[in-house]
């Protein structure tokens, strides 16, 4: 024994009620009953949705530029920054005539994020020099298959006619910064 702080606990004899588990059952039922009358902590998702914090980090979006070309240039910085190694991509060279599809000469022909690996830290967004990837306030939909959580470009790239507004989860300072025309990649 290294200290004198040990305590010898005597084994108490159980009473008859305790042996029958009645007090414990009644206490449990009382707790259950109490919760019938308290405010519910759950909601009927997806019919009801909770309000998110302004800086909530949910499903990513790969942005297009003002004419609809994909901003991502497959530089790989997001994948390098990702602590969960959730991002994979294949870089390809843009062909003549594809200028309206891809903003730069190099683009990601394959871009995937494994949402089961992702920890929604936002480092990919921070690392991107092209303002191409952002996290949004969208929740990742549930799925029965693991493969369904690997999101490819078909899910990640925003539709040309249904752009995803990411400014809502940015602070006023960031929105002001993005108006600065000296930063060409922000336009
Ligand atoms: S949010 Fe974090 S973990 Fe998820 S893909 Fe981006 S860098 Fe990786
Ligand atoms: S999303 Fe951004 S950081 Fe990632 S590969 Fe594309 S341009 Fe590079």
């Amino acid at each position: 024994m290294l200290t004198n702080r040990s305590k010898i606990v005597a084994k108490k004899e159980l009473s008859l009620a305790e042996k029958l588990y009645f007090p414990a059952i009644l206490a449990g039922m009382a707790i259950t009953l109490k919760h019938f009358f308290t405010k519910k902590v759950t909601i009927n998702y997806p019919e009801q949705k909770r309000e998110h914090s302004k800086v909530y980090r949910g499903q990513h979006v790969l942005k297009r530029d003002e004419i609809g070309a994909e901003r991502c240039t497959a530089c790989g910085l997001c994948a390098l920054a990702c602590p969960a190694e959730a991002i994979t991509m294949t870089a390809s060279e843009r062909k003549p005539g594809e200028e309206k599809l891809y903003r730069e000469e190099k683009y990601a022909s394959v871009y995937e994020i494994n949402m089961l690996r992702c920890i929604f830290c936002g480092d990919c967004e921070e690392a991107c020099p092209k303002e191409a990837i952002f996290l949004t306030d969208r929740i990742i939909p549930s799925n029965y298959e693991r493969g369904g959580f690997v999101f490819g470009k078909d899910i990640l790239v925003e539709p040309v006619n249904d752009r995803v507004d990411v400014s809502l989860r940015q602070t006023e300072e960031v929105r002001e910064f993005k108006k600065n025309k000296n930063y060409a990649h922000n336009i």
Side-chain angles (χ1 to χ4, degrees):
M1 196 187 297
L2 294 175
T3 68
N4 292 327
R5 281 183 287 173
S6 65
K7 196 170 151 190
I8 298 190
V9 183
K11 199 174 173 197
K12 196 176 127 230
E13 191 65 34
L14 294 180
S15 66
L16 179 66
E18 282 170 337
K19 277 185 188 158
L20 292 172
Y21 298 109
F22 266 136
I25 291 170
L26 289 177
M29 286 174 81
I31 290 170
T32 309
L33 204 64
K34 193 180 88 189
H35 282 288
F36 276 120
F37 304 102
T38 51
K39 193 170 172 270
K40 284 194 183 73
V41 290
T42 52
I43 56 163
N44 291 326
Y45 181 83
E47 289 80 18
Q48 274 175 285
K49 288 195 177 123
R50 281 196 202 288
E51 258 195 40
H52 292 144
S53 130
K54 219 166 140 22
V55 290
Y56 178 86
R57 294 191 291 253
Q59 185 181 320
H60 312 60
V61 61
L62 284 174
K63 297 290 290 173
R64 295 177 182 274
D65 68 5
E66 52 288 348
I67 63 157
E70 289 176 21
R71 299 186 75 99
C72 175
T73 183
C75 66
L77 284 175
C78 52
L80 204 65
C82 178
E85 299 189 358
I87 303 176
T88 48
M89 74 189 73
T90 306
S92 296
E93 209 173 315
R94 186 180 71 186
K95 295 185 183 62
E98 291 183 334
E99 291 76 10
K100 287 194 175 144
L101 297 177
Y102 312 111
R103 193 178 163 98
E104 317 262 344
E105 290 85 6
K106 192 159 71 88
Y107 71 97
S109 52
V110 176
Y111 190 106
E112 287 179 346
I113 303 180
N114 186 333
M115 295 300 173
L116 291 178
R117 296 190 70 107
C118 177
I119 54 168
F120 301 94
C121 62
D123 281 3
C124 45
E125 178 180 320
E126 293 274 331
C128 182
K130 298 292 177 183
E131 302 271 301
I133 187 163
F134 289 91
L135 280 82
T136 68
D137 60 356
R138 298 171 299 172
I139 292 174
I140 308 291
S142 55
N143 203 304
Y144 290 109
E145 307 285 336
R146 291 178 74 83
F149 287 103
V150 179
F151 285 16
K153 282 182 69 179
D154 53 330
I155 301 174
L156 294 170
V157 179
E158 66 180 346
V160 182
N161 298 322
D162 190 16
R163 303 299 187 94
V164 178
D165 184 5
V166 293
S167 66
L168 293 174
R169 54 175 291 281
Q170 290 167 341
T171 60
E172 200 55 49
E173 290 78 14
V174 172
R175 284 203 288 268
E176 274 307 307
F177 171 78
K178 284 176 191 296
K179 286 182 194 158
N180 192 333
K181 300 288 181 211
N182 292 327
Y183 299 96
H185 65 273
N186 285 331
I187 301 165

